[in-house]
């Protein structure tokens, strides 16, 4: 085991995946080399998620295996779960071998915190912070695709969600900083950029200047070398016509909206504090598809929110049909300490949640398959992303495609005829 080696685990969403790229950048700038085997690593960093209890249980299981008392390896736990109130003290009690705990706000200070832990101190840094400085080193792992956060935090306080508790209020990056980073990515050979935010379409609101996501996309659309732009995650309440028109007008911005609905029942949406109705949501989907008939819409859905009745759940199932989602992430509601929904007594029994999630997975899979099958026989634009073992890419609508064909090269856009479709992936032949 060499002391200057590190191993990194990541749990959670795309924002966490990107934070891990920053953690890797910072740790490598401090002189560490990455290894995949934790037994070969002098330092193990676990970047955590607290959106669901199941993620936390997995992290505890991993710590049980890795953080053995008396071990020489330095174990660091960072990110959302580490930031959660009371968690640092819990981790210190249950896993005394964890010697460095850093929350989401302390991430930029990782080199200094790491140096203290290496010198033998037990370090806990879970303060509320002022924000993320520009120019931190990033070790990217996305091939020709790069993730660029444009807004940190969330102001929405959906009643089930722990994110605002651990990521703080919304803080947008200045547009000039984003434009500089994207231009630099283009020079390094990246071809697709995804702008990230928990609620990306409130980008710019806190800056007090005349900038929003649509104007940022317009500026980035001029960046030479970048072939495609995407953005995640849109909040249905904040999806205005200006953004929909910008996506339609700007040639590099892909026609895909990840638009979490969470529920199809107005009563549950109110209890969730989502700020829109089912009809508002469906009207937004219609507006997207009217403007861009080929656009894809994907979503997040939760079953078993406290008090969810059979009728509420039936409303979610019918929303899946009406909105004709191209894909969905489905979640079983999970009580998160400190959130308003945690104090609602009327929990849905586990067996009912299980039945509902099974029915929802079936419905979303069936609808997505039908949407994918409608693409068979069509010629679509694919960005070739990888060759492992066969060529792989994505359509503008973010549909994954396994590819075959003459002269394929990673990083190029190709016209591809779709020949087969499953619920998750398409197969296609690249044209000459
Ligand atoms: N900011 C995004 C949004 O507003 O939709 C996504 C945030 S969260 C990291 C991703 C998804 O996790 C949410 O859309 C929601 O469906 C799910 N989620 C969040 N809290 C949950 C909870 N307590 N139980 C089950 N699913 C949850
Ligand atoms: Fe959580 Fe709601 Fe914010 Fe998304 S918008 S991060 S679900 S509070």
């Amino acid at each position: 085991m060499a002391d200057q080696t590190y191993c990194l685990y990541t749990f959670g969403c795309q924002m966490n995946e990107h934070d891990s790229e920053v953690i890797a950048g910072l740790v490598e700038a401090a002189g560490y080399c990455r290894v995949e085997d934790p037994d070969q690593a002098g330092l193990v960093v676990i970047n955590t998620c607290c959106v669901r209890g199941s993620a936390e249980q997995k992290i505890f299981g991993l710590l049980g295996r890795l953080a053995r008392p008396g071990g020489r390896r330095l174990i660091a736990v960072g990110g959302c779960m580490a930031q959660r109130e009371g968690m640092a003290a819990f981790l210190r009690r249950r896993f005394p071998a964890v010697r460095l705990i850093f929350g989401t706000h302390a991430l930029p200070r990782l080199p200094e915190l790491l140096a203290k832990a290496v010198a033998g101190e037990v370090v806990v840094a879970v303060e509320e912070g002022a924000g993320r400085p520009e120019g931190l080193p990033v070790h990217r792992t996305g091939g020709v695709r790069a993730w660029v956060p444009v807004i940190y935090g969330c102001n929405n306080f959906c009643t089930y969600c722990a994110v605002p508790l651990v990521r703080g209020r919304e803080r947008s990056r200045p547009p000039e900083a984003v434009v500089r980073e994207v231009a630099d990515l283009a020079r390094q050979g990246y071809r697709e950029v995804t702008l990230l935010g928990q609620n990306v379409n409130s980008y710019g609101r806190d800056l007090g200047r005349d900038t929003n996501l649509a104007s940022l996309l317009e500026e980035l659309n001029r960046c030479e070398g970048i072939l495609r732009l995407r953005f995640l995650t849109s909040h249905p309440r904040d999806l205005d016509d200006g953004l929909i028109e910008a996506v339609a007008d700007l040639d590099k911005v892909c026609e895909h909206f990840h638009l979490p609905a969470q529920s199809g029942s107005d009563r549950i949406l109110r209890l969730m504090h989502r700020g829109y109705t089912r009809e508002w949501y469906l009207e937004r989907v219609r507006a997207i598809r009217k403007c861009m008939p080929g656009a894809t819409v994907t979503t997040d859905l939760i079953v078993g929110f406290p008090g969810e009745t059979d009728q509420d759940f039936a409303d979610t199932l019918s929303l899946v049909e009406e909105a004709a989602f191209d894909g969905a992430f489905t979640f079983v509601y999970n009580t998160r300490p400190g959130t308003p929904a945690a104090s609602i007594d009327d929990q849905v029994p586990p067996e009912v949640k299980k039945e509902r999630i099974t029915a929802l997975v079936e419905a979303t899979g069936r609808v997505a398959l039908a949407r994918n099958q409608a693409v068979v026989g069509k010629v679509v634009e694919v960005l070739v992303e990888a060759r492992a073992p066969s060529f792989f890419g994505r359509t503008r609508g973010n549909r994954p495609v396994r590819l075959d064909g003459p002269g394929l090269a990673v990083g190029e856009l190709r016209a591809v005829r779709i020949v087969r479709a499953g619920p998750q992936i398409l197969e296609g032949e690249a044209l000459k």
Side-chain angles (χ1 to χ4, degrees), residues 311-324:
Q311 182 56 53
D312 293 321
F313 177 61
D315 289 346
T316 297
L317 283 182
S318 69
L319 182 81
V320 171
E321 307 283 344
E322 265 188 73

Side-chain angles (χ1 to χ4, degrees), residues 108-383:
R109 298 202 292 124
L110 186 55
E112 156 211 338
L113 303 172
L114 184 58
K116 284 187 184 163
V118 168
E121 262 185 66
V122 170
V123 180
V124 176
V126 290
E127 73 273 7
E128 291 287 316
R132 187 91 40 110
E134 293 296 335
L136 294 176
V138 187
H139 179 139
R140 294 182 190 273
T141 49
V144 293
R145 303 191 304 153
W147 285 269
V148 173
V150 295
I151 177 167
Y152 300 105
C154 181
N155 289 359
N156 282 320
F157 293 97
C158 301
T159 54
Y160 50 83
C161 184
V163 169
L165 308 179
V166 295
R167 292 238 174 220
R169 298 298 76 75
E170 289 174 0
R171 289 142 356 248
S172 299
R173 292 176 63 193
E176 309 78 47
V178 177
V179 171
R180 246 193 329 270
E181 182 173 346
V182 172
D184 198 39
L185 289 169
R187 279 191 292 275
Q188 292 172 47
Y190 290 93
R191 294 292 167 252
E192 180 178 299
V193 166
T194 303
L195 307 182
L196 295 180
Q198 293 298 344
N199 180 7
V200 74
N201 36 21
S202 59
Y203 172 77
R205 249 185 232 165
D206 55 312
L207 291 176
R209 31 197 286 201
D210 196 16
T211 184
N212 59 23
L213 185 61
S215 66
L216 180 65
L217 286 168
E218 197 180 321
E219 233 178 298
L220 295 175
N221 199 63
R222 289 195 284 270
C223 182
E224 230 172 279
I226 294 297
L227 304 176
R228 282 180 167 185
L229 293 161
R230 301 183 183 279
F231 55 92
L232 280 175
T233 293
S234 294
H235 193 297
R237 186 198 55 215
D238 298 325
L239 179 64
D240 59 25
D241 290 342
L243 182 61
I244 296 175
E245 282 157 22
V247 176
D249 290 347
L250 300 169
D251 61 326
K252 294 180 184 174
V253 181
C254 293
E255 299 81 12
H256 169 222
F257 292 80
H258 185 61
L259 198 61
Q262 312 298 1
S263 171
S265 152
D266 280 339
R267 200 178 70 81
I268 296 295
L269 288 172
R270 239 185 346 266
L271 290 172
M272 287 177 161
H273 205 201
R274 287 291 287 177
Y276 54 86
T277 60
R278 171 195 177 95
E279 187 42 38
W280 167 272
Y281 185 90
L282 284 168
E283 192 283 324
R284 291 291 76 195
V285 174
R286 285 193 292 268
I288 292 168
R289 292 203 171 122
K290 183 164 176 226
C291 200
M292 292 161 274
T296 52
V297 178
T298 55
T299 199
D300 294 351
L301 295 163
I302 298 177
V303 299
F305 186 83
E308 185 188 65
T309 61
D310 286 345
Q311 182 56 53
D312 293 321
F313 177 61
D315 289 346
T316 297
L317 283 182
S318 69
L319 182 81
V320 171
E321 307 283 344
E322 265 188 73
F325 292 121
D326 296 278
F329 294 108
T330 52
F331 301 92
V332 174
Y333 169 75
N334 210 267
T335 306
R336 296 287 67 211
T339 60
S343 55
I344 309 178
D345 278 337
D346 194 5
Q347 296 292 326
V348 175
E351 61 280 8
V352 176
K353 284 181 177 169
K354 205 168 163 203
E355 275 168 29
R356 288 183 186 165
I357 193 76
T358 306
L360 186 63
V361 167
E362 186 281 320
T364 52
R366 179 170 39 74
V367 170
L369 177 62
R371 297 276 305 166
N372 281 349
Q373 280 169 338
V375 190
V376 174
K378 294 201 171 129
V379 174
V380 295
E381 179 199 281
V382 171
L383 174 65

